[in-house]
Amino acid sequence: MSHYPPEGLYPTVPPAPETLRRAAGSREIFQSMCIKCDEYHNLIVDLGSQQGLIPREETVLGIAQGKAKEIAILSRVGKPLCFQVLGFTSEGTALLSRRSAQEEARDYLMESVPTGQILPAVVQNVASFGAFCDIGCGFTALLPIERCSISRISHCSQRFSPGQQLYVVIWEKDPQAGQITLTHRELLGTWEENAQLFRPGQTVTGIVRSVRPYGTFIELTPNLSGLAEPGQDLEPGQAVSVYIRSIQPQAQKIKLSVLEKLSATPKIPLRYHRTGGYLDSWRYNDVAAPTVFDS
C-alpha cells in the first residue's frame, strides 16, 4: 500500500473535530469531499459537523507560481481531496492545505520510491498524448499514450476514463522538474499470458486498431491483437465479432476472420498480472527487446 494513496482510492470519512484540532500544524493527511468552489477560487470541504476552507494558493501544487491552471481548482468540486490542517481562524473555521499534502507525496515519490515500483493510481484526465494519473494525494504523473498498452490506440480515452482506478509503474523521474513519467503496459501480461485466454474455434469480440493493405489488426485484449484478412471495409475503432482461425505460439501470431460489425463497442477489461511489488525488467515476447527499469 502506498504511503500517500491517490485521492478517491479509499472511502472518504470526514475526520472528527477533535482529530482535526489535534492535527493542526502536523503532517497528518486526511481526505474529505470538496463541496464548493467560491468566487475567489477557495475550496470548501465537508468536515462532517463543520466545513473547512482551502485558500486558493493552497488548493493545488504550483497554482501560486502560475504553473497550474484554474481548472485544476474548479474541477475538484464534488470529488474527494487530501489535505493537511494548517490551523483555525478566530471563528473556528479549519484552514486546510491540499498543496502541502501533494508536495509531501511528490517528495516521497521522488526520493524514496525507485523506478520500476508498481503503484495504485486514479485517472484525472485523458488527452491524445497521454493520461494524467494521481499517484499520491492529487500529485499527478503522465502516462504517455505509447506506454498504455501493447495494442496501439489513437487517444487515451479509448483505454481510460477520468476517475478510473488502475495500477501503474514508475518509468522515469525528473527531480529538477518535479515530474514523474509512468508506464502501464508491463502490468497487462506478455503475449503468451494473453494468448492463453483464447482457443482456436472460438468467436469473440474485438476492436479494429489498424487497417493495412495486407490485413487488419484487431485488439482482443489491450496487450494482444490478431490479424484478419484485408477487404472487410473496416475502420479503426470499429467493434467486430471475430472467429479465431488459429493461434501460433511459436510464431506468436493469431489469425482471425471477421464475422460482422457490431453497433456497440465492447468494454475490454484490464487484466492485471501484477498489482504490487517491483519490476526490474519485462519482455513482451521472444522478439521484443526487454524493458529495463534502472533505479
Side-chain angles (χ1 to χ4, degrees):
M1 181 183 299
S2 172
H3 286 69
Y4 301 92
E7 294 174 329
L9 186 64
Y10 302 114
T12 298
V13 180
E18 59 272 16
T19 302
L20 282 173
R21 291 198 172 275
R22 187 173 62 248
S26 74
R27 299 173 62 184
E28 189 170 0
I29 296 175
F30 302 95
Q31 179 179 266
S32 289
M33 193 68 66
C34 176
I35 57 177
K36 184 172 70 174
C37 177
D38 68 16
E39 64 273 30
Y40 304 107
H41 290 189
N42 304 312
L43 294 179
I44 312 301
V45 178
D46 177 21
L47 298 178
S49 60
Q50 60 179 303
Q51 295 180 354
L53 175 70
I54 303 182
R56 176 185 175 276
E57 62 272 15
E58 298 293 334
T59 55
V60 62
L61 190 65
I63 194 70
Q65 296 78 26
K67 296 180 180 179
K69 298 180 180 179
E70 296 300 314
I71 189 63
I73 304 175
L74 307 180
S75 62
R76 297 319 303 167
V77 176
K79 300 175 184 177
L81 46 76
C82 293
F83 59 85
Q84 294 176 326
V85 183
L86 298 177
F88 293 82
T89 67
S90 56
E91 293 80 19
T93 301
L95 294 177
L96 314 173
S97 174
R98 180 171 178 253
R99 174 204 57 78
S100 63
Q102 290 179 322
E103 192 172 67
E104 188 169 318
R106 179 201 63 191
D107 293 346
Y108 170 77
L109 290 163
M110 285 290 183
E111 298 169 6
S112 302
V113 180
T115 57
Q117 183 69 49
I118 301 171
L119 296 173
V122 175
V123 179
Q124 286 198 337
N125 52 67
V126 295
S128 60
F129 56 87
F132 291 95
C133 300
D134 174 1
I135 57 173
C137 298
F139 172 69
T140 59
L142 177 65
L143 172 57
I145 189 169
E146 66 271 13
R147 306 214 67 86
C148 291
S149 60
I150 293 296
S151 179
R152 296 180 181 180
I153 53 178
S154 59
H155 195 285
C156 280
S157 60
Q158 296 172 337
R159 187 71 68 213
F160 309 119
S161 58
Q164 182 178 355
Q165 298 179 7
L166 62 155
Y167 293 92
V168 295
V169 185
I170 293 183
W171 173 244
E172 293 177 334
K173 295 191 289 186
D174 184 346
Q176 187 172 4
Q179 297 175 346
I180 291 177
T181 304
L182 308 172
T183 187
H184 177 260
R185 61 188 186 181
E186 291 82 1
L187 303 178
L188 300 178
T190 63
W191 188 94
E192 182 180 7
E193 288 170 333
N194 281 269
Q196 288 176 352
L197 301 172
F198 304 95
R199 297 290 183 272
Q202 292 180 336
T203 298
V204 298
T205 58
I207 301 175
V208 176
R209 289 304 184 200
S210 178
V211 178
R212 296 288 186 266
Y214 54 84
T216 301
F217 287 97
I218 297 173
E219 176 185 315
L220 302 179
T221 75
N223 265 19
L224 184 70
S225 294
L227 184 65
E229 306 93 333
Q232 289 92 1
D233 190 28
L234 299 174
E235 297 180 354
Q238 173 71 58
V240 292
S241 64
V242 294
Y243 176 80
I244 301 177
R245 294 167 50 201
S246 67
I247 298 177
Q248 304 171 17
Q250 293 179 340
Q252 296 187 322
K253 294 181 180 180
I254 297 179
K255 291 187 177 181
L256 307 172
S257 291
V258 176
L259 298 183
E260 62 179 330
K261 299 178 183 179
L262 302 177
S263 57
T265 302
K267 179 69 174 179
I268 298 182
L270 298 175
R271 296 178 180 270
Y272 288 105
H273 291 259
R274 291 283 300 274
T275 58
Y278 170 83
L279 292 178
D280 53 8
S281 64
W282 180 80
R283 185 190 293 271
Y284 176 66
N285 57 28
D286 294 336
V287 177
T291 299
V292 179
F293 296 87
D294 183 10
S295 60

